[in-house]
Amino acid sequence: MEPVISLNSSAIQCTSLSSSAPIWQDVLAQAITGELLAAMNYTSLSEICDDPEEVADALEHAAGERGHAAAFAAEGRKIGVEVSSNVEGMHWKRLREAFMHCIAERDFIGCLIVQEIMLESFAVASYARVAKVGPGSLGKTFARIAAEEEEHVDHAMAILRAERAQDVQRFDEKVHRLHLDVMTTLAKMLAKECKDGHCEVCHGNCVKPSLFEVSLSAAALRGASLEQYLKTLDMLGLPGEVTLAWVAQLPV
Amino acid sequence: MGGAVASVAGRGQTIEQVDFALVGHQESWKAVADVLAVLRGPKHAPLPDDEIKDILPWIPPRAVCHVEVRSVVNAKTGGAKARGLYIDSFIPPDRLEAAYVRENLARVRGAAACAIKAGAKIASLGGFSSILIEGNFDQLPERHNTVFTTGNTLTVGFIVQGVKKMCALEDRNIGRATLLIVGATGDVGSGCARCLAPIVKRVLLSARNLERLRRLAAELEADGVQVEVATDLRQFSVEADIVICAASLASSSLLLGRVAPHAIVCDAGYPKNLSPSAEMPGARIFYGGLGQITGGLSFAPDFHGILNRHPFPDVVHGCLLEGMALALEGRFEPFSQGRGFITQERVEEIVAVATKHGIYLAPLYNADGPVEDKIDCQTEWVEGMSGEAKAPLGAML
């Protein structure tokens, strides 16, 4: 696993979180990995944009995601842990591949659907859950970044709604195709137990069974993420009965 | 009347006109599991129970399926039909208690918003949704072109018809009977009181709020009815021959000693939880407030027997049938709203609308099966249903 890049943190504030620090270490590792993957995705996106404004926008987003990763890493140091990341981890690698498939097809809309509708739904919801229970500045950082990610989604919604209005059926079929790939991977990642082996991001054993010690649970993180995803699809205008069936068919 | 494809939104997709929306929820985890199994389809294994309990509370209110109801009017030419949506608020079955009122109201509001967004012309509030909203219509979202009805008037109509039918089947003289209504001050209970008080010998009204009981009693007494009120069933001076439980009883044993040994008991509460028992072996218990569609009912995807888990085909709760009947009639109006406004005239009016479109009182049954001795083809018992399916628990529609 790679340590997180260029961290300009202030003085380390070791707190009295020694017993739960290893749990937060893994929670932060997942968050940092997600942010770095998002940064890579936006950088890739900038390479297929024709409009200079879109290029600038994508690069700005990439920088923002790297900033989030750095902020999470800084929170790790405050509680005395060095947080690693691994974008090559089993699930994250698969998510990156799904995104890169859209890049290869120069499918700007597909990229937005994967990153803004699927991955960001997961990020917004899970960060918001962590923010509720995270101690001190760690909780506040998760809350702040959740709010910023939500703004990204809002920005993309306008573009995606306009795209859907042009051809509803084609758009919905594309969302479904991407859902089958990306959301299946996310569902496996969010399952209560990792059935496919170690995720290659947690620093030791899987963190999920220990989450209750910090008032979190894998089930709640999954539930909140899927709820956010369904609500985002509702806002896009996809029929609720259709998206409900999609989600009901995901692996558990 | 609805049914037409109204508009085209975007290339390749048509948006169906939505005449009605049915807002409900599942009453048991078994019912939830069955709904999710249909949604998952035959290729996917059913979800384990623990996963279902983890997932359900996170599902936002939304449409589950399309519903089409057909009238018997002009049946030879295909019949009139109305199209709608079943919208589930996804209230978890173990959260139907007072402690969750705020959360559940938010879910019903969310489901109502789905009905509005879908452009439903009329929305019926089923089961617990109706109970939550009957005194809180102001808490529904801004309505635009959607009207809401609790459906309580038709529910009362079917309860009253059921009581009369049961009396006839049992050869009882309703004019000599003492009628007890439990939950008498609610919308359904007070509606039943107004309809049946004029034709029975005496009425016993029971509810938790004494002031409201007295107001209802005064209203009935003004028409010459003999009335007793009590907040505790033990306080009544006489036994009842006919009982309508318009509110769920914690246990049927609460009726012991308060009702005649061979009393007719209509379980019209929600959820229905009275069953024939060794404690009251002579009582004739049946489920009230249910109607049967004879023109045709279909779901897409096919939720037959899943959403309407009754032992007879196309049986649906009266509260939801009210919206469907009004949609078939093209009367998109908030027929039942608020609490305490149900009169005999209004009941007769909605029953006439339902009857015109082939929606009749459902065959009488209870947890043990049909209670009618003679069953004609229209009321054929659905053979081969599991014991779970025969029981009313989980019957949403």
Side-chain angles (χ1 to χ4, degrees):
Chain A
M1 284 189 234
E2 300 291 325
V4 171
I5 44 161
S6 65
L7 304 169
N8 302 314
S9 64
S10 53
I12 292 173
Q13 294 176 314
C14 286
T15 66
S16 59
L17 294 169
S18 55
S19 64
S20 61
I23 299 170
W24 291 120
Q25 184 179 15
D26 285 343
V27 170
L28 286 164
Q30 296 287 353
I32 290 171
T33 303
E35 293 298 334
L36 291 178
L37 186 104
M40 291 162 67
N41 286 350
Y42 281 119
T43 303
S44 301
L45 183 63
S46 73
E47 290 160 10
I48 65 162
C49 293
D50 298 324
D51 183 344
E53 256 187 53
E54 284 176 355
V55 172
D57 229 21
L59 291 174
E60 189 185 319
H61 278 155
E65 305 293 17
R66 277 194 294 274
H68 292 164
F72 284 137
E75 289 302 330
R77 280 196 303 280
K78 284 184 192 172
I79 58 171
V81 292
E82 190 66 27
V83 183
S84 301
S85 63
N86 183 14
V87 293
E88 292 293 312
M90 177 172 46
H91 300 303
W92 292 108
K93 186 180 178 184
R94 183 76 201 88
L95 295 170
R96 171 71 174 158
E97 284 168 357
F99 187 86
M100 289 309 288
H101 186 73
C102 295
I103 292 285
E105 293 185 347
R106 300 187 71 80
D107 182 359
F108 177 74
I109 294 299
C111 290
L112 285 189
I113 291 167
V114 171
Q115 184 61 41
E116 303 287 6
I117 302 302
M118 297 172 180
L119 299 181
E120 297 294 10
S121 286
F122 161 62
V124 168
S126 55
Y127 291 179
R129 294 295 294 178
V130 175
K132 284 183 182 170
V133 298
S137 67
L138 189 147
K140 286 178 186 155
T141 296
F142 270 100
R144 175 177 63 79
I145 294 176
E148 288 176 15
E149 300 290 17
E150 207 160 8
E151 281 175 24
H152 284 189
V153 178
D154 289 344
H155 171 74
M157 288 301 275
I159 299 169
L160 293 174
R161 275 203 204 102
E163 180 70 14
R164 184 172 189 267
Q166 287 181 33
D167 189 334
V168 171
Q169 189 178 356
R170 194 174 68 180
F171 183 90
D172 291 0
E173 283 171 2
K174 175 182 286 199
V175 176
H176 188 217
R177 202 168 54 246
L178 294 168
H179 162 93
L180 290 173
D181 190 358
V182 176
M183 292 308 292
T184 299
T185 304
L186 271 177
K188 286 179 181 171
M189 193 166 138
L190 292 166
K192 285 196 289 188
E193 294 168 29
C194 287
K195 292 174 183 165
D196 297 336
H198 196 280
C199 70
E200 302 168 297
V201 177
C202 288
H203 73 283
N205 290 335
C206 178
V207 73
K208 288 176 183 174
S210 310
L211 287 173
F212 76 94
E213 293 177 36
V214 294
S215 303
L216 286 173
S217 75
L221 289 172
R222 175 184 58 185
S225 298
L226 294 178
E227 179 187 37
Q228 181 74 29
Y229 174 57
L230 284 170
K231 286 180 173 174
T232 306
L233 294 178
D234 287 349
M235 285 191 284
L236 263 182
L238 276 85
E241 69 274 24
V242 172
T243 57
L244 176 62
W246 292 358
V247 167
Q249 289 166 12
L250 288 172
V252 292
Chain B
M1 224 165 292
V5 171
S7 62
V8 176
R11 197 178 73 206
Q13 185 176 21
T14 54
I15 290 184
E16 208 174 69
Q17 187 169 299
V18 179
D19 300 313
F20 62 86
L22 312 174
V23 173
H25 58 89
Q26 305 308 310
E27 288 177 32
S28 70
W29 286 110
K30 173 74 171 80
V32 173
D34 288 348
V35 169
L36 289 175
V38 172
L39 291 170
R40 277 173 75 77
K43 289 182 186 168
H44 300 271
L47 290 172
D49 290 348
D50 61 326
E51 294 284 359
I52 290 170
K53 288 182 180 177
D54 281 341
I55 290 168
L56 188 80
W58 297 99
I59 301 177
R62 60 194 41 247
V64 169
C65 64
H66 295 257
V67 184
E68 185 174 283
V69 61
R70 287 174 291 283
S71 169
V72 292
V73 173
N74 299 326
K76 285 181 183 170
T77 54
K81 60 189 172 189
R83 288 179 177 155
L85 291 170
Y86 168 66
I87 297 169
D88 205 307
S89 56
F90 291 106
I91 295 173
D94 57 2
R95 296 189 190 175
L96 294 172
E97 304 154 21
Y100 298 100
V101 163
R102 192 177 293 241
E103 182 186 317
N104 291 341
L105 261 175
R107 284 188 168 274
V108 175
R109 278 178 58 86
C114 289
I116 293 165
K117 191 177 168 192
K121 295 175 188 169
I122 187 166
S124 269
L125 300 166
F128 201 62
S129 315
S130 171
I131 296 167
L132 279 170
I133 292 295
E134 72 180 26
N136 300 290
F137 260 81
D138 57 328
Q139 295 207 24
L140 287 171
E142 195 182 338
R143 266 152 262 180
H144 304 283
N145 297 318
T146 303
V147 297
F148 285 84
T149 180
T150 61
N152 285 344
T153 312
L154 190 54
T155 296
V156 169
F158 287 139
I159 292 169
V160 170
Q161 285 188 347
V163 167
K164 289 179 179 174
K165 184 175 183 180
M166 197 66 180
C167 286
L169 286 170
E170 291 287 305
D171 204 19
R172 310 280 179 88
N173 185 341
I174 198 167
R176 292 184 192 160
T178 295
L179 167 68
L180 164 63
I181 300 177
V182 180
T185 57
D187 199 34
V188 169
S190 60
C192 291
R194 290 189 192 96
C195 290
L196 288 171
I199 59 170
V200 297
K201 181 181 170 191
R202 184 190 286 114
V203 179
L204 313 177
L205 303 175
S206 176
R208 284 176 296 186
N209 187 313
L210 188 59
E211 186 51 41
R212 283 190 199 153
L213 276 174
R214 285 178 176 151
R215 276 204 298 271
L216 179 60
E219 179 190 328
L220 299 177
E221 282 165 345
D223 291 329
V225 178
Q226 281 187 59
V227 185
E228 274 187 46
V229 299
T231 54
D232 184 335
L233 295 176
R234 289 169 298 191
Q235 294 168 345
F236 289 117
S237 64
V238 289
E239 284 182 339
D241 311 298
I242 302 171
V243 182
I244 295 173
C245 290
S248 289
L249 280 176
S251 162
S252 55
S253 64
L254 288 171
L255 294 173
L256 282 175
R258 283 65 150 172
V259 303
H262 298 283
I264 287 171
V265 180
C266 172
D267 184 353
Y270 193 88
K272 300 191 186 306
N273 55 4
L274 296 182
S275 55
S277 68
E279 293 167 324
M280 296 198 304
R284 297 287 274 160
I285 296 175
F286 73 98
Y287 295 143
L290 300 164
Q292 187 175 39
I293 297 166
T294 59
L297 173 69
S298 57
F299 301 95
D302 188 5
F303 277 96
H304 248 116
I306 304 288
L307 291 176
N308 57 336
R309 302 163 71 85
H310 303 281
F312 296 97
D314 299 343
V315 169
V316 176
H317 281 285
C319 50
L320 295 178
L321 284 171
E322 185 173 299
M324 293 195 226
L326 289 167
L328 285 169
E329 185 70 1
R331 282 178 62 173
F332 301 103
E333 57 188 82
F335 199 89
S336 307
Q337 279 202 349
R339 183 186 289 161
F341 303 114
I342 297 175
T343 62
Q344 193 168 350
E345 292 72 28
R346 292 288 278 173
V347 170
E348 286 168 1
E349 185 180 351
I350 194 67
V351 167
V353 170
T355 303
K356 173 181 167 186
H357 293 287
I359 299 171
Y360 308 113
L361 172 69
L364 303 183
Y365 75 95
N366 61 31
D368 287 349
V371 297
E372 297 174 55
D373 294 326
K374 290 180 182 176
I375 301 167
D376 59 26
C377 59
Q378 177 193 306
T379 61
E380 187 180 352
W381 176 259
V382 177
E383 293 298 340
M385 292 187 82
S386 67
E388 163 72 23
K390 281 179 180 174
L393 287 178
M396 183 55 252
L397 298 189

